[in-house]
């Protein structure tokens, strides 16, 4: 059984959390457990949807994969000293992924230092990546070892595919994504470095 944790926070971007949640939940439940964790037990999205979380941030420590969503609240979480204390990750045994501003959370934890990374194209996020020792690049998906970042909300589909491939294999990833792909689509990631 693989355990995937999605890290969220107040003012998260709806699509970046819910798209990943839905796609990961399409994996056979006997093979994969998916949880949303946050600093607070209830969080509210940037559009006003409030959800109950499944556990605290510290639950990410034991996950096989940790997926950081994005949103305006990512900046406050990245600057929160309790965040780094609660979330200690080990990329030698965990798959780490971030969409858009979620990349600054990986950066705040030290997992982007010396690496290329991508994020939503805004100057403040690029500045934060540079401050974390990363080299910002303009790409939909950037992978290095067990760490990946993606830019723009719909790149989350390829980021999810990458995570599933790392945890299982490409056939499981493609089969999972195919359940949501447009009718007639092959579900392949043309040009993605998986």
């Amino acid at each position: 059984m693989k355990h995937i944790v999605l890290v969220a926070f107040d003012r998260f971007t709806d699509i970046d959390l819910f798209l990943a949640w839905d796609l990961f939940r399409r994996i056979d439940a006997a093979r994969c457990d998916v949880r949303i964790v946050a600093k607070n037990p209830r969080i509210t999205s940037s559009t006003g949807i409030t959800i109950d979380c499944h556990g605290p941030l510290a639950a990410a420590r034991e996950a096989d994969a940790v997926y950081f969503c994005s949103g305006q609240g990512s900046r406050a979480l990245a600057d929160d000293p309790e965040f780094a204390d609660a979330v200690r990750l080990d990329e030698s045994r965990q798959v780490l992924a971030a969409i858009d501003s979620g990349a600054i959370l990986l950066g705040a934890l030290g997992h982007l230092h010396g690496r290329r990374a991508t994020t939503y194209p805004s100057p403040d996020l690029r500045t934060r990546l540079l401050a974390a020792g990363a080299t910002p690049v303009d790409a939909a998906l950037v992978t290095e070892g067990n760490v990946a970042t993606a830019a723009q909300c719909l790149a989350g589909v390829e980021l999810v595919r990458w995570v599933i491939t790392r945890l299982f294999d490409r056939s499981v990833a493609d089969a999972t994504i195919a359940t949501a792909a447009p009718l007639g689509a092959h579900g392949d990631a043309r040009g993605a470095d998986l």
Side-chain angles (χ1 to χ4, degrees):
M1 166 82 68
K2 298 292 185 181
H3 299 279
I4 301 174
V5 163
L6 288 81
V7 175
F9 37 80
D10 277 317
R11 298 175 58 211
F12 66 88
T13 299
D14 301 61
I15 191 171
D16 291 339
L17 179 63
F18 297 134
L19 176 70
W21 166 261
D22 185 271
L23 292 173
F24 285 133
R25 296 280 301 169
R26 291 170 187 248
I27 302 169
D28 179 7
R31 300 182 74 186
C32 188
D33 176 63
V34 185
R35 306 271 176 190
I36 297 171
V37 303
K39 181 176 178 179
N40 300 315
R42 300 191 88 206
I43 55 175
T44 302
S45 77
S46 59
T47 65
I49 297 173
T50 298
I51 63 168
D52 292 323
C53 297
H54 302 113
L57 289 172
R61 294 179 183 182
E62 303 307 316
D64 297 295
V66 182
Y67 188 102
F68 292 88
C69 76
S70 74
Q72 285 297 318
S74 62
R75 291 142 176 95
L77 186 60
D79 295 339
D80 185 341
E82 292 178 18
F83 170 66
D85 288 338
V87 183
R88 292 197 178 111
L89 305 176
D90 180 357
E91 63 186 75
S92 71
R93 65 171 186 79
Q94 293 177 297
V95 175
L96 308 179
I99 185 75
D100 286 337
S101 67
I104 68 172
L105 298 172
L106 273 177
L109 296 171
H111 294 284
L112 296 182
H113 188 80
R115 288 194 162 109
R116 297 175 315 118
T118 190
T119 188
Y120 187 83
S122 75
D124 73 307
L125 295 174
R126 289 181 69 88
T127 298
R128 284 178 176 262
L129 287 183
L130 287 167
T135 301
V137 295
D138 293 327
L141 180 66
V142 176
T143 64
E144 291 197 24
N146 271 350
V147 179
T149 52
Q152 299 287 77
C153 298
L154 294 182
V157 173
E158 295 312 320
L159 186 59
V160 166
R161 183 193 310 268
W162 177 84
V163 170
I164 297 170
T165 299
R166 297 295 282 196
L167 290 179
F168 298 100
D169 61 41
R170 182 62 183 246
S171 65
V172 173
D174 287 346
T176 301
I177 299 302
T179 65
L183 189 60
H186 297 290
D188 59 345
R190 299 182 198 288
D193 180 16
L194 301 177

